Amino acid sequence: MSTPSIPFSRRNFLRTSSLASGGLLIGFNLFTACKSDVKPPVDLADLNYNDFNAFIKIAKNGAVTIFSPNPEIGQGVKTAMPMIIAEELDVAWDNVYVQQGVLDTKNYTRQIAGGSQSIRFGWDALRQTGATAKQMLVNAAAARWGVDASELSVSEGIITNKAGETLSYGDVVEEAAALEVPENVTLKEPKDYKIIGTDQRNVDIDKIITGQPLYGMDYKVEGMVYAAVLRPPAFGQELVSFDATEAKAIPGVIDVIQIGDKAKALLEKDKVNWTAQLSGSGKVVVLAKTTWDAFKGKKAIKATWSDATPLESTEFHDEKLNALLDGKDFVTMRKDGDVNKAFAQADKVLERTYESPFLPHNCMEPMNFFAHVTDEKIHLVGPVQTPEDAANTVAELLGRDVADIHLEMTRMGGGFGRRLYGDFVYEAAEISDAIRKPVKMVSSREDDMSTGVYRPSIKYRIKAAIKDGQLTGYQLKEAAINGNMYGLIPNFFPAGAVENYQVDVANYKSNITTGAWRAPYTNFLAYAEQSFFDELAEEMEVDKIKLRLDLLEKVKGTTDERIEYSPERMQKVIKMAVDKSGWGKQPQGTYQGFVAYYCHNTHVAEVADVVIEKGLPVVKKVTCVVDCGIVINPLGALNQIEGGIVDGIGHSMYGSFGFENGQPTAKNFDKYRLGRMKDAAAVETYLVQNELSPTGLGEPTLPPAGGAVANALKAATGKRVYKQPFIEQEELWQAKQEEILG
């Protein structure tokens, strides 16, 4: 809910009047003009903005320039965050321009793209920034006219007094710069919003469609060389020796060097933070005039690698996960009541195991980064989701002060968690440090898929106790390769709804690098749990929707502060999805599957409509209801919702990936199938309207999609799928084809 009057934190607010062009500089992110006839201000390169992570600059000509500090990976924060400021600043969105800020840990916190948290964490501070700037400008106008500020009104950057006289923001900006920052500001009520809640297109869309430089791959400077890195072909191997004779003979190849010593030293000192996937092995680097020359040179390297024991394979991982599920080496993350007693006293016990493979990230833009290391500074430019961690690790890696580092963020051609890990940044920095030239490290598609960071392979075992027709016990076990990042989320549904409830985790430590993959820890869990709930309802002989609603009813009024979801909000999206999807009323031959799920602070319900064509499943439509609080940009929200669903369906249906002797079984899209255009289902979206603070949207609709499809497949075939990808469950489709053929 909007707060009419809110104290302002000076730590989040910065102003100065020392710019060469004059004006007011206010900490945060956006670039806008106040009047329709105002053009963008002078070349931004002439403004001294590098000392600030994010700010509004109001120039004497009435223009307002706002820089965005958060990384943009396609989730739309570069549009939505400025909209929040522009709303409270009271300027016309049609005249808003947005510029990407640089890393600046002094003046800004949480410059991260991850966890669908940017809007949620920025909501209050962004509003405060816009409202405070507006109040200072109004106070300056009031002082000039000799009236009380409360007598003035503002609309689209124009201040008006009771006599009808007007001043633009630019007219009073110098007076405003001399005023004290107000201790309290009044924020708008949602009913008064003019920008928030309206459809606004991506602020970079014109540059994207006209091919203007925005991405890391676009960045180049005079004298820059290109680098391709030859890494160990199998996880667990280390470099023994290499012969670069043929590579150096290729036209365009400048030199071949080895790196890795600095990374190995850092690992030995245990100075690597959670985002650093540094290899302790040596790596061979080909330096060339073009990327193509570097790639050709890399293929010509003759390298010898030592073998690790064991070189892991999919069968090996399968055995390890099964052993973990059957063993006792679990860490209990939550324990309510006594599940063992509940199972012993149950009339029925239902137990199922669900399996998922490793998955690569497959960002459209391959990993790349620019680095130029000199004695004076370290200049870094490129696409990274965690710029602060990247800068800190580079400082440790090269033995430099982090103050020496200037890091600029570019727009990213996909992140999905892969660019949380700065290995490509560290490689570029170490290469430049060795050659003391500006360098762009560029990976190929094969590099990304075969030497990357993967969603871990996981197995879930879920067990439920039924007594007198009621769910009396529930136990969830996770076995994962390297652990599932944060482990399970033990306080999500059905936590609080079952008296005897336990969540346990175990992991096998592997040489294969794993980490966050879009909607980490829930991307597969949602399918497993929601498939289990459907089967549980069948076992209990109750309606699937009613089972979920009844369990949520038990959570209402809970005093358990650990519970993260809202039973009321979850019930609302469930009922709305049932209504909007025509649940149970579809024509013969259309099979429906239902899922309700909470993650990343957002409540979602989805219904998938599946048909069988030529004996194989086709997802025709998904009806999705989302409660994410106040929706900043409905158009951007729909893009995120639909993209998450399409992504979730594609990977659960087709995503097959594993390892053989430490090497991935697929190294490019000839052997790894993504969801294709023809596989994309129609998505019908409904947003719950309320005035609650906004929550995440980049990830929450992906996890439920797989579960909705799996439950629809059960309706279509009469059989359940317990393993992803679904399309590989050949016995299921063979039986259906035989049925169709009669």
PDB file of all heavy atoms in Angstrom, residues 180-199:
ATOM      1  N   GLU A 180      17.790  22.622   1.298  1.00  0.00           N
ATOM      2  CA  GLU A 180      17.993  21.412   2.072  1.00  0.00           C
ATOM      3  C   GLU A 180      17.103  20.290   1.523  1.00  0.00           C
ATOM      4  O   GLU A 180      16.005  20.535   1.037  1.00  0.00           O
ATOM      5  CB  GLU A 180      17.643  21.648   3.542  1.00  0.00           C
ATOM      6  CG  GLU A 180      18.660  22.497   4.301  1.00  0.00           C
ATOM      7  CD  GLU A 180      20.002  21.782   4.429  1.00  0.00           C
ATOM      8  OE1 GLU A 180      19.997  20.568   4.702  1.00  0.00           O
ATOM      9  OE2 GLU A 180      21.043  22.431   4.224  1.00  0.00           O
ATOM     10  N   VAL A 181      17.603  19.052   1.645  1.00  0.00           N
ATOM     11  CA  VAL A 181      16.788  17.903   1.260  1.00  0.00           C
ATOM     12  C   VAL A 181      15.702  17.721   2.315  1.00  0.00           C
ATOM     13  O   VAL A 181      15.995  17.636   3.499  1.00  0.00           O
ATOM     14  CB  VAL A 181      17.638  16.626   1.168  1.00  0.00           C
ATOM     15  CG1 VAL A 181      16.760  15.416   0.849  1.00  0.00           C
ATOM     16  CG2 VAL A 181      18.740  16.780   0.133  1.00  0.00           C
ATOM     17  N   PRO A 182      14.435  17.686   1.922  1.00  0.00           N
ATOM     18  CA  PRO A 182      13.354  17.557   2.900  1.00  0.00           C
ATOM     19  C   PRO A 182      13.418  16.231   3.639  1.00  0.00           C
ATOM     20  O   PRO A 182      13.777  15.200   3.066  1.00  0.00           O
ATOM     21  CB  PRO A 182      12.088  17.680   2.055  1.00  0.00           C
ATOM     22  CG  PRO A 182      12.505  17.377   0.667  1.00  0.00           C
ATOM     23  CD  PRO A 182      13.931  17.807   0.547  1.00  0.00           C
ATOM     24  N   GLU A 183      13.066  16.271   4.923  1.00  0.00           N
ATOM     25  CA  GLU A 183      13.107  15.064   5.740  1.00  0.00           C
ATOM     26  C   GLU A 183      11.967  14.109   5.403  1.00  0.00           C
ATOM     27  O   GLU A 183      12.103  12.900   5.526  1.00  0.00           O
ATOM     28  CB  GLU A 183      13.042  15.436   7.226  1.00  0.00           C
ATOM     29  CG  GLU A 183      14.279  16.185   7.728  1.00  0.00           C
ATOM     30  CD  GLU A 183      15.520  15.291   7.716  1.00  0.00           C
ATOM     31  OE1 GLU A 183      15.372  14.060   7.790  1.00  0.00           O
ATOM     32  OE2 GLU A 183      16.634  15.833   7.624  1.00  0.00           O
ATOM     33  N   ASN A 184      10.822  14.638   5.030  1.00  0.00           N
ATOM     34  CA  ASN A 184       9.665  13.815   4.701  1.00  0.00           C
ATOM     35  C   ASN A 184       9.081  14.264   3.370  1.00  0.00           C
ATOM     36  O   ASN A 184       9.095  15.449   3.046  1.00  0.00           O
ATOM     37  CB  ASN A 184       8.595  13.918   5.786  1.00  0.00           C
ATOM     38  CG  ASN A 184       9.047  13.302   7.091  1.00  0.00           C
ATOM     39  OD1 ASN A 184       8.992  12.085   7.260  1.00  0.00           O
ATOM     40  ND2 ASN A 184       9.505  14.136   8.030  1.00  0.00           N
ATOM     41  N   VAL A 185       8.590  13.293   2.611  1.00  0.00           N
ATOM     42  CA  VAL A 185       7.954  13.613   1.345  1.00  0.00           C
ATOM     43  C   VAL A 185       6.619  12.886   1.261  1.00  0.00           C
ATOM     44  O   VAL A 185       6.409  11.865   1.910  1.00  0.00           O
ATOM     45  CB  VAL A 185       8.835  13.199   0.138  1.00  0.00           C
ATOM     46  CG1 VAL A 185      10.091  14.037   0.082  1.00  0.00           C
ATOM     47  CG2 VAL A 185       9.182  11.721   0.189  1.00  0.00           C
ATOM     48  N   THR A 186       5.720  13.432   0.475  1.00  0.00           N
ATOM     49  CA  THR A 186       4.412  12.815   0.278  1.00  0.00           C
ATOM     50  C   THR A 186       4.416  12.038  -1.027  1.00  0.00           C
ATOM     51  O   THR A 186       4.762  12.573  -2.076  1.00  0.00           O
ATOM     52  CB  THR A 186       3.307  13.884   0.236  1.00  0.00           C
ATOM     53  OG1 THR A 186       3.301  14.575   1.485  1.00  0.00           O
ATOM     54  CG2 THR A 186       1.946  13.244   0.012  1.00  0.00           C
ATOM     55  N   LEU A 187       4.060  10.766  -0.935  1.00  0.00           N
ATOM     56  CA  LEU A 187       4.004   9.915  -2.116  1.00  0.00           C
ATOM     57  C   LEU A 187       2.588   9.858  -2.663  1.00  0.00           C
ATOM     58  O   LEU A 187       1.618  10.025  -1.930  1.00  0.00           O
ATOM     59  CB  LEU A 187       4.474   8.499  -1.764  1.00  0.00           C
ATOM     60  CG  LEU A 187       5.877   8.381  -1.170  1.00  0.00           C
ATOM     61  CD1 LEU A 187       6.198   6.928  -0.868  1.00  0.00           C
ATOM     62  CD2 LEU A 187       6.924   8.981  -2.089  1.00  0.00           C
ATOM     63  N   LYS A 188       2.490   9.601  -3.937  1.00  0.00           N
ATOM     64  CA  LYS A 188       1.185   9.511  -4.580  1.00  0.00           C
ATOM     65  C   LYS A 188       0.406   8.281  -4.105  1.00  0.00           C
ATOM     66  O   LYS A 188       1.000   7.246  -3.778  1.00  0.00           O
ATOM     67  CB  LYS A 188       1.345   9.413  -6.099  1.00  0.00           C
ATOM     68  CG  LYS A 188       1.766  10.698  -6.793  1.00  0.00           C
ATOM     69  CD  LYS A 188       1.776  10.472  -8.305  1.00  0.00           C
ATOM     70  CE  LYS A 188       2.114  11.743  -9.063  1.00  0.00           C
ATOM     71  NZ  LYS A 188       2.103  11.528 -10.527  1.00  0.00           N
ATOM     72  N   GLU A 189      -0.896   8.389  -4.110  1.00  0.00           N
ATOM     73  CA  GLU A 189      -1.758   7.238  -3.929  1.00  0.00           C
ATOM     74  C   GLU A 189      -1.894   6.529  -5.282  1.00  0.00           C
ATOM     75  O   GLU A 189      -1.858   7.168  -6.337  1.00  0.00           O
ATOM     76  CB  GLU A 189      -3.141   7.672  -3.438  1.00  0.00           C
ATOM     77  CG  GLU A 189      -3.140   8.311  -2.059  1.00  0.00           C
ATOM     78  CD  GLU A 189      -2.898   7.308  -0.950  1.00  0.00           C
ATOM     79  OE1 GLU A 189      -2.952   6.082  -1.244  1.00  0.00           O
ATOM     80  OE2 GLU A 189      -2.643   7.718   0.186  1.00  0.00           O
ATOM     81  N   PRO A 190      -2.048   5.216  -5.265  1.00  0.00           N
ATOM     82  CA  PRO A 190      -2.183   4.488  -6.537  1.00  0.00           C
ATOM     83  C   PRO A 190      -3.265   5.033  -7.460  1.00  0.00           C
ATOM     84  O   PRO A 190      -3.111   4.995  -8.684  1.00  0.00           O
ATOM     85  CB  PRO A 190      -2.492   3.059  -6.086  1.00  0.00           C
ATOM     86  CG  PRO A 190      -1.809   2.938  -4.767  1.00  0.00           C
ATOM     87  CD  PRO A 190      -1.971   4.295  -4.117  1.00  0.00           C
ATOM     88  N   LYS A 191      -4.332   5.567  -6.912  1.00  0.00           N
ATOM     89  CA  LYS A 191      -5.415   6.096  -7.749  1.00  0.00           C
ATOM     90  C   LYS A 191      -4.975   7.312  -8.565  1.00  0.00           C
ATOM     91  O   LYS A 191      -5.624   7.668  -9.556  1.00  0.00           O
ATOM     92  CB  LYS A 191      -6.613   6.472  -6.875  1.00  0.00           C
ATOM     93  CG  LYS A 191      -6.362   7.600  -5.897  1.00  0.00           C
ATOM     94  CD  LYS A 191      -7.601   7.899  -5.063  1.00  0.00           C
ATOM     95  CE  LYS A 191      -7.338   8.997  -4.035  1.00  0.00           C
ATOM     96  NZ  LYS A 191      -6.952  10.274  -4.646  1.00  0.00           N
ATOM     97  N   ASP A 192      -3.870   7.934  -8.160  1.00  0.00           N
ATOM     98  CA  ASP A 192      -3.391   9.130  -8.852  1.00  0.00           C
ATOM     99  C   ASP A 192      -2.275   8.837  -9.855  1.00  0.00           C
ATOM    100  O   ASP A 192      -1.746   9.762 -10.479  1.00  0.00           O
ATOM    101  CB  ASP A 192      -2.892  10.159  -7.826  1.00  0.00           C
ATOM    102  CG  ASP A 192      -3.998  10.621  -6.889  1.00  0.00           C
ATOM    103  OD1 ASP A 192      -5.128  10.793  -7.378  1.00  0.00           O
ATOM    104  OD2 ASP A 192      -3.730  10.812  -5.688  1.00  0.00           O
ATOM    105  N   TYR A 193      -1.911   7.574 -10.013  1.00  0.00           N
ATOM    106  CA  TYR A 193      -0.832   7.230 -10.936  1.00  0.00           C
ATOM    107  C   TYR A 193      -1.218   7.558 -12.372  1.00  0.00           C
ATOM    108  O   TYR A 193      -2.333   7.278 -12.820  1.00  0.00           O
ATOM    109  CB  TYR A 193      -0.488   5.741 -10.842  1.00  0.00           C
ATOM    110  CG  TYR A 193       0.203   5.329  -9.559  1.00  0.00           C
ATOM    111  CD1 TYR A 193       0.184   4.005  -9.143  1.00  0.00           C
ATOM    112  CD2 TYR A 193       0.881   6.247  -8.768  1.00  0.00           C
ATOM    113  CE1 TYR A 193       0.820   3.606  -7.976  1.00  0.00           C
ATOM    114  CE2 TYR A 193       1.521   5.864  -7.601  1.00  0.00           C
ATOM    115  CZ  TYR A 193       1.486   4.536  -7.210  1.00  0.00           C
ATOM    116  OH  TYR A 193       2.112   4.146  -6.056  1.00  0.00           O
ATOM    117  N   LYS A 194      -0.270   8.144 -13.097  1.00  0.00           N
ATOM    118  CA  LYS A 194      -0.447   8.434 -14.510  1.00  0.00           C
ATOM    119  C   LYS A 194       0.467   7.575 -15.383  1.00  0.00           C
ATOM    120  O   LYS A 194       0.169   7.334 -16.552  1.00  0.00           O
ATOM    121  CB  LYS A 194      -0.154   9.911 -14.784  1.00  0.00           C
ATOM    122  CG  LYS A 194      -1.059  10.890 -14.051  1.00  0.00           C
ATOM    123  CD  LYS A 194      -0.628  12.318 -14.327  1.00  0.00           C
ATOM    124  CE  LYS A 194      -1.483  13.328 -13.572  1.00  0.00           C
ATOM    125  NZ  LYS A 194      -1.000  14.719 -13.799  1.00  0.00           N
ATOM    126  N   ILE A 195       1.584   7.141 -14.840  1.00  0.00           N
ATOM    127  CA  ILE A 195       2.570   6.363 -15.592  1.00  0.00           C
ATOM    128  C   ILE A 195       2.561   4.910 -15.148  1.00  0.00           C
ATOM    129  O   ILE A 195       2.467   3.998 -15.973  1.00  0.00           O
ATOM    130  CB  ILE A 195       3.980   6.971 -15.434  1.00  0.00           C
ATOM    131  CG1 ILE A 195       4.016   8.388 -16.011  1.00  0.00           C
ATOM    132  CG2 ILE A 195       5.025   6.084 -16.101  1.00  0.00           C
ATOM    133  CD1 ILE A 195       5.312   9.120 -15.740  1.00  0.00           C
ATOM    134  N   ILE A 196       2.671   4.688 -13.847  1.00  0.00           N
ATOM    135  CA  ILE A 196       2.614   3.328 -13.318  1.00  0.00           C
ATOM    136  C   ILE A 196       1.271   2.701 -13.684  1.00  0.00           C
ATOM    137  O   ILE A 196       0.217   3.307 -13.499  1.00  0.00           O
ATOM    138  CB  ILE A 196       2.808   3.325 -11.793  1.00  0.00           C
ATOM    139  CG1 ILE A 196       4.247   3.733 -11.441  1.00  0.00           C
ATOM    140  CG2 ILE A 196       2.493   1.960 -11.199  1.00  0.00           C
ATOM    141  CD1 ILE A 196       4.500   3.886  -9.956  1.00  0.00           C
ATOM    142  N   GLY A 197       1.340   1.500 -14.223  1.00  0.00           N
ATOM    143  CA  GLY A 197       0.119   0.811 -14.624  1.00  0.00           C
ATOM    144  C   GLY A 197      -0.252   1.019 -16.077  1.00  0.00           C
ATOM    145  O   GLY A 197      -1.264   0.495 -16.544  1.00  0.00           O
ATOM    146  N   THR A 198       0.562   1.779 -16.819  1.00  0.00           N
ATOM    147  CA  THR A 198       0.307   1.983 -18.247  1.00  0.00           C
ATOM    148  C   THR A 198       1.316   1.195 -19.076  1.00  0.00           C
ATOM    149  O   THR A 198       2.443   0.958 -18.641  1.00  0.00           O
ATOM    150  CB  THR A 198       0.395   3.472 -18.630  1.00  0.00           C
ATOM    151  OG1 THR A 198       1.742   3.950 -18.388  1.00  0.00           O
ATOM    152  CG2 THR A 198      -0.580   4.295 -17.801  1.00  0.00           C
ATOM    153  N   ASP A 199       0.922   0.777 -20.269  1.00  0.00           N
ATOM    154  CA  ASP A 199       1.809   0.019 -21.156  1.00  0.00           C
ATOM    155  C   ASP A 199       2.884   0.937 -21.725  1.00  0.00           C
ATOM    156  O   ASP A 199       2.576   1.945 -22.363  1.00  0.00           O
ATOM    157  CB  ASP A 199       1.015  -0.587 -22.318  1.00  0.00           C
ATOM    158  CG  ASP A 199       0.106  -1.711 -21.877  1.00  0.00           C
ATOM    159  OD1 ASP A 199       0.361  -2.291 -20.801  1.00  0.00           O
ATOM    160  OD2 ASP A 199      -0.858  -2.012 -22.596  1.00  0.00           O
TER     161      ASP A 199
END
